[in-house]
Amino acid sequence: MSLFDWFADRRKGQYVANVKQEPDEGDGLWSKCPECGQVVYLKDLKLNASVCANCGHHHRIDSAERIALIADPDSFQVLNADLSPVDPLGFKDRRAYADRLRESQASTGLRDGVVTGLCRVEGIPMGLAAMDFRFMGGSMGSVVGEKITRLIEESTARKLPLLIVCASGGARMQEGMLSLMQMAKISGALERHREAELLYMPLLTHPTTGGVTASFAMLGDLILAEPKALIGFAGRRVIEQTLREKLPDNFQTAEYLQEHGFVDTIVPRTQLRSTLANLLRLHGCKPMELTRA
């Protein structure tokens, strides 16, 4: 028997395993769901509004993606895009606040943590603000407060309904009291919007916490939320230590808040535009042309 025949006979009796190679997420073509572990083609995930088709997990999206999901195509008009934050306190912890701002601006392409403007939803004009968690955790500084306040005032002047998409870790500590003042400023503008008998809806996404929750996120005529979004003021551990008792596993989720009356309805992202249009029509809003700001 030749050496070749000997190797051939040995291979006949061996089982060759069918090794399935898992797609590499690092190539930018695939995404793995953190909830169920399903690996999907990134393009398919985007087509489904970045919602996992297997388990319904809502992946975090940025402000541009959010606006594209809500507004009619080519209808969004940006307002106050030139506003930029400054460092009024010369704040520095491990790093200077000015350096953090420059880094966030370079990585996101944004001036600050919110994009505001006017748009149409199935032809109905509406004011829209979308907070972006990528920019310093969506924290609320002076520029975020100013842009949202100006949007509210523009919406009030035009007699438009208003939607603010909340995604924030709270007030921006690097601006101290100036960031906390934004809570009162935005709340005051919303009160004037309410007095004009105009509709305001916040959409609470993952996460919505701190000073944002303590102000405009909870002042809506209708409070909407995405499934399983984390919504709260203080952190879970702080509350447990204060109360000295164990909290439910689903505490501070959108579902828990809806059950206890803090959220009116939970809207899956894939149904958001149609749901918003129905709510706007229910409140008497009608399609019309939107003049330039």
Side-chain angles (χ1 to χ4, degrees), residues 123-183:
I124 302 172
M126 180 183 76
L128 174 62
M131 303 186 76
D132 199 314
F133 196 79
R134 298 176 303 159
F135 197 104
M136 295 188 68
S139 52
M140 179 178 59
S142 300
V143 168
V144 170
E146 182 65 18
K147 290 181 71 172
I148 291 177
T149 301
R150 291 189 187 186
L151 173 68
I152 298 168
E153 292 173 343
E154 182 74 19
S155 300
T156 304
R158 289 170 172 258
K159 300 188 182 302
L160 296 179
L162 173 69
L163 175 73
I164 300 178
V165 182
C166 305
S168 176
R172 189 174 298 173
M173 69 172 190
Q174 290 88 348
E175 295 187 18
M177 183 59 71
L178 295 175
S179 66
L180 297 177
M181 290 168 62
Q182 308 310 311
M183 299 167 62

Side-chain angles (χ1 to χ4, degrees), residues 25-56:
E25 293 182 72
D27 62 8
L29 298 176
W30 303 90
S31 177
K32 185 174 182 179
C33 177
E35 190 73 21
C36 67
Q38 178 92 353
V39 178
V40 297
Y41 192 36
L42 189 58
K43 189 175 181 179
D44 292 337
L45 182 66
K46 296 289 186 183
L47 288 174
N48 198 42
S50 294
V51 177
C52 178
N54 185 55
C55 69

Side-chain angles (χ1 to χ4, degrees), residues 235-247:
R236 180 189 185 96
R237 184 174 59 181
V238 173
I239 298 173
E240 286 185 332
Q241 290 175 348
T242 303
L243 299 178
R244 297 183 180 179
E245 62 180 62
K246 183 71 175 175
L247 297 171

